[in-house]
Amino acid sequence: MKLMKLAAIAVLMFMGGAVFADEAYDVVDKFTHLDVPEFSKATMVLEITNKNGTTEIREITEYGSGFNVLRNVVFEIAKDTSKKYSGVRVLQAEKTNKEDDRWIYEPSLRNVRRIQTGERSGSFMGSEYSYNDMTTRKADEDKHEMLDANASVNINGTTYNCWKIRSDPKKKNDIEFSYRICWYDKKTILPVKMEYYDKKDPNTLMKTYLIEKIDNVNGITGTSYVLRRTASVTNHITGRKTRVTVKNFIFDDERIVNKKIFTTNWLMTGK
């Protein structure tokens, strides 16, 4: 889950009433290149509701960096009511022109191992988010089609003016869904709603992602950021739902994040 800076967005241009052919790609590409704080720390609270109504709470400390433009994130389980994931740490390290690296430390095994590509479609910490959901897909990884350049969607009483875009993965084997449809808010470029369709049956809606609350917040230097304060994923196949709330965030304070955090050694030792 990334904490996005509100960047200055160039208006998509029209030429004689005709939209540029790659408008859909341009929108997605702008989203993937929104800036992030060079330093960030926040608490993510995952509320996981099972089909029978029981809930599990996981509290995760998230450390983020934008060192050298590349985006690195560490997730550390601080509290877990189920005790299944206590002490687990995950590192996501973005690479230039390469597949991102992802590593996990599991206290029960007392080792750090690389999360293989085939595992990344699996559940993130037992939630309805996958490991793939915890990072941003590059625009070049998908084929994009503009379904509606003037769409609107209402979420919790707020209406967003959006680009509605369908994105199909170029490498079907690397991802858990057949395709997704996203509503990108024209003000923030955030995908306020995403529908994921089943890999085996492309006509079946598998999951729905919603940004339920967006806040404009400031880092300690006064820089303004758009924060996805609350978001949720509903799995229509399993009947489970995960809501994520972000709190206790600090942006742009280099004292809170050490580069050592974004290493496999830190995953193992926590120091």
Side-chain angles (χ1 to χ4, degrees):
M1 174 80 51
K2 292 184 178 177
L3 309 172
M4 301 294 184
K5 179 181 177 182
L6 180 57
I9 304 299
V11 177
L12 291 174
M13 298 181 65
F14 291 78
M15 189 71 73
V19 183
F20 283 135
D22 57 355
E23 181 187 17
Y25 176 91
D26 289 343
V27 171
V28 177
D29 193 51
K30 289 183 194 305
F31 164 64
T32 63
H33 284 90
L34 289 177
D35 293 335
V36 296
E38 186 172 5
F39 309 97
S40 66
K41 181 181 179 181
T43 299
M44 297 168 53
V45 180
L46 274 64
E47 181 181 358
I48 302 165
T49 303
N50 298 304
K51 188 175 182 178
N52 62 8
T54 60
T55 61
E56 299 174 13
I57 304 295
R58 310 206 211 296
E59 194 167 292
I60 300 174
T61 303
E62 178 188 17
Y63 302 92
S65 81
F67 296 124
N68 299 321
V69 184
L70 297 176
R71 299 170 181 179
N72 301 316
V73 182
V74 163
F75 302 98
E76 180 180 29
I77 295 288
K79 297 179 183 178
D80 178 17
T81 59
S82 74
K83 308 299 183 184
K84 300 174 185 175
Y85 299 91
S86 298
V88 171
R89 302 185 184 104
V90 173
L91 165 65
Q92 296 183 168
E94 190 174 51
K95 301 295 182 181
T96 302
N97 300 323
K98 294 181 181 180
E99 183 177 69
D100 297 348
D101 273 340
R102 302 180 197 182
W103 302 83
I104 185 169
Y105 168 70
E106 299 170 291
S108 60
L109 301 178
R110 296 185 179 181
N111 72 348
V112 174
R113 66 176 181 84
R114 192 172 187 271
I115 300 174
Q116 301 298 324
T117 300
E119 298 179 81
R120 299 177 184 186
S121 60
S123 171
F124 174 79
M125 306 293 185
S127 73
E128 293 314 296
Y129 287 88
S130 70
Y131 282 96
N132 286 323
D133 291 330
M134 305 311 293
T135 189
T136 301
R137 288 180 62 77
K138 297 177 177 66
D140 290 336
E141 293 181 282
D142 302 323
K143 295 181 294 184
H144 307 286
E145 177 188 358
M146 181 67 70
L147 300 181
D148 189 345
N150 295 288
S152 65
V153 63
N154 187 285
I155 302 172
N156 293 344
T158 299
T159 299
Y160 298 92
N161 296 318
C162 302
W163 292 284
K164 182 180 178 181
I165 295 172
R166 170 171 168 160
S167 298
D168 290 71
K170 292 179 181 178
K171 295 182 179 179
K172 301 288 187 180
N173 292 335
D174 295 346
I175 204 71
E176 67 271 19
F177 55 87
S178 174
Y179 65 92
R180 72 184 190 275
I181 296 177
C182 302
W183 284 255
Y184 290 90
D185 173 41
K186 291 187 177 182
K187 182 178 180 181
T188 63
I189 318 300
L190 294 179
V192 292
K193 179 179 180 180
M194 293 190 284
E195 293 181 342
Y196 295 85
Y197 287 82
D198 190 69
K199 196 168 186 175
K200 294 181 180 179
D201 180 5
N203 294 315
T204 297
L205 177 61
M206 182 178 69
K207 294 195 300 187
T208 299
Y209 166 90
L210 298 174
I211 297 180
E212 298 181 350
K213 185 178 181 182
I214 299 174
D215 280 341
N216 290 315
V217 300
N218 292 325
I220 66 168
T221 60
T223 302
S224 179
Y225 296 91
V226 171
L227 175 63
R228 289 180 275 188
R229 173 80 74 169
T230 307
S232 66
V233 172
T234 299
N235 189 316
H236 303 289
I237 307 298
T238 66
R240 301 176 82 237
K241 182 175 183 177
T242 299
R243 175 174 282 109
V244 177
T245 302
V246 179
K247 63 179 185 179
N248 302 332
F249 54 86
I250 304 172
F251 299 153
D252 299 327
D253 187 344
E254 61 183 328
R255 296 170 297 179
I256 62 173
V257 178
N258 189 304
K259 290 184 181 180
K260 292 181 180 179
I261 291 176
F262 306 100
T263 64
T264 54
N265 183 66
W266 190 91
L267 290 187
M268 175 73 77
T269 65
K271 58 184 179 180

